[in-house]
């Protein structure tokens, strides 16, 4: 799976970094999402999907 | 497309039972997750009690949060919304792109990681309150001794507002959040607080300190009036909300001894318990309210441009289609996805701060006062049905 993040849409709510810190962080500058691991291992797939779904602004998506 | 279901007047805010949403909301939810509702001024709008529809509308940019477009779902607030003057910088009442500009200037200050750095200080503040409670001995009134001072002190230190001025901002924000205040009273309280914060901004411009307001001033992108508006929003949103979660959440735990015991036995449940308490209690019990900017079809209903929609978060967070057994408080449930912090671009900016405060404060309270109990019969705890943020006015406890 491949994670795509649109920092223009991101509102820095931090749901991604809270739910899956292995994959998502937030920039020190403006709090927008930083994807630490854009192609995470299969074992994290459920967690990634959950984080994508929790994101309030629709900034995250995955390509399978 | 279905036609209008029968009209019903105004939105209920009074809860029959302390922790459950008003029965009428649940009845509407059983009948239809989205339905017509007559607003206080006669406007024919909508009310949404279903989780999926509420979440979809909150995330939909075709809905606006600008007060001049909104009708009031309750009589007390009649006319209030449309007459409200949004101060510069008060971005909770703005749509993108105005909203985006302010929010982006602030999000860096409220990240998960930033909030982690605050943990030791929040811990210290919570413990100092408990030291004081122990020193004075039982009984105590938990809201004034614990629930209100912790988030007030934290937001003051973060923003750089002198905590010694709390009597003033706590009084003004109580007037602003009281549903029975008149429009004049609200306007006066807001103006008063804005003047105070404007003066503070000028003092900090001359004499910067190590705090959020000084940092924003140094950034140079905002006028003094915008800075005062931002400070107003953060100050009011930052202390009343968490304070009420701490007061009401403690009452809910004391009223559910097995849940309290489970949390005491396994303190690692605390993160989960905080989410579940947020879901179960949904203290933002009036709105959010939005207005359609264009015709929008949701679940076969046509919401026309200009129509107001009230999102009943308290009911949506109990929607049986999303949260099975949702009428029970269950600290081991996975409550993620609840709407108690909202959803969409306005989802709470301070949520990671609120989570930090709640985790630390609840954990310290349970650890330090193992014999905590109510000091009055549950029916005598005064509930905040008349406030925009639900909770307890007072919570007498002993230990
Ligand atoms: C448990 C405590 C809290 C609850 C239940 C809560 C709830 C909410 C909700 C439901 C919204 C969305 C309103 C809407 O969509 O119209 C919101 C927005 C907001 N909250 Fe909180 N909040 C809490 C704590 C805090 C704290 C501690 C701060 C401090 C900084 C804060 C600052 C804000 C701000 C600035 C917004 C506006 C965000 C925007 O419009 O982009 N909140 N909050
Ligand atoms: S959850 Fe979404 S909006 Fe929030 S920080 Fe992550 S990507 Fe941005």
């Amino acid at each position: 799976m491949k994670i795509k993040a649109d920092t223009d849409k991101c509102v820095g709510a931090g749901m991604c970094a809270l739910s899956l810190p292995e994959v998502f962080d937030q920039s020190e500058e403006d709090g927008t999402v930083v994807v630490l691991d854009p192609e995470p291992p299969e074992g994290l797939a459920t967690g990634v999907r959950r984080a994508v779904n929790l994101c309030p602004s629709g900034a995250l998506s995955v390509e399978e | 497309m279905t036609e209008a279901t029968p009209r019903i007047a105004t939105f209920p805010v009074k809860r029959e039972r302390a922790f459950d949403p008003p029965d009428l909301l649940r009845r509407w939810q059983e009948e239809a997750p989205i339905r017509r509702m007559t607003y206080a001024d006669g406007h024919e709008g909508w009310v949404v009690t279903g989780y999926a529809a509420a979440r979809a509308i909150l995330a939909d940019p075709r809905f606006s949060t600008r007060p001049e477009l909104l009708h009031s779902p309750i009589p007390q607030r009649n006319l209030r919304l449309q007459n409200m003057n949004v101060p510069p910088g008060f971005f909770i009442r703005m749509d993108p792109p105005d909203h985006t500009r302010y929010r982006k200037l602030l999000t860096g200050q409220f990240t998960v990681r930033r909030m982690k750095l605050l943990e030791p200080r929040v811990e210290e503040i919570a413990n100092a309150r408990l030291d004081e409670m122990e020193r004075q001995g039982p009984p105590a009134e938990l809201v004034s001794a614990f629930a209100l001072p912790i988030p007030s002190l934290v937001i003051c230190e973060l923003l750089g507002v002198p905590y010694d001025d709390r009597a003033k901002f706590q009084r003004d924000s109580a007037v602003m959040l009281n549903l029975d205040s008149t429009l004049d009273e609200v306007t006066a309280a807001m103006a008063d607080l804005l003047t105070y914060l404007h003066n503070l901004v000028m003092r900090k411009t001359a004499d910067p300190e190590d705090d959020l307001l000084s940092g924003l001033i140094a950034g140079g992108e905002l006028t003094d009036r915008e800075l005062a508006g931002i400070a107003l929003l953060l100050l009011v949103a930052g202390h009343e909300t968490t304070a009420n979660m701490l007061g009401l959440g403690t009452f809910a735990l004391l009223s559910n001894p097995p849940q309290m015991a489970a949390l005491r036995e396994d303190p690692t449940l605390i993160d989960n318990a905080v989410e579940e308490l947020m879901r179960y209690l949904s203290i933002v019990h009036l709105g959010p309210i939005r207005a359609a900017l264009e015709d929008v079809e949701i679940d076969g209903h046509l919401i026309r441009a200009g129509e107001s929609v009230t999102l009943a978060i308290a009911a949506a967070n109990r929607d049986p289609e999303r949260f099975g057994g949702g009428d029970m408080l269950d600290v081991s449930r996975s409550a993620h996805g609840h709407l108690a912090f909202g959803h969409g671009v306005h989802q709470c900016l301070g949520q990671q701060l609120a989570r930090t405060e709640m985790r630390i404060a609840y954990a310290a309270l349970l650890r330090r006062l193992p014999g905590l109990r109510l000091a009055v019969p549950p029916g005598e705890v005064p509930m905040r049905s008349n406030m925009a943020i639900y909770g307890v006015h007072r919570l007498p406890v002993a230990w």
Side-chain angles (χ1 to χ4, degrees), chain B residues 19 33 77 94 124 140 145 152 194 196 216 244 288 331-332 352 359 364 373:
Chain B
F19 309 121
R77 291 226 144 178
M94 298 177 189
E124 211 169 79
S152 295
L194 272 173
Y196 165 77
L216 286 176
N244 282 299
V331 295
S332 63
Q352 309 308 346
R359 276 182 207 133
R373 61 182 187 279

Side-chain angles (χ1 to χ4, degrees), chain A residues 9-17 26 31-33 51 54-60:
Chain A
K9 276 193 183 167
C10 173
V11 294
M15 292 309 295
C16 54
Q26 292 171 273
T32 54
V33 59
L54 280 178
C55 172
S57 67
L60 300 174

Side-chain angles (χ1 to χ4, degrees), chain B residues 378-391:
Chain B
E380 286 176 22
V381 175
M383 306 308 298
R384 292 172 43 113
S385 301
N386 60 330
M387 304 298 276
I389 312 287
Y390 188 65

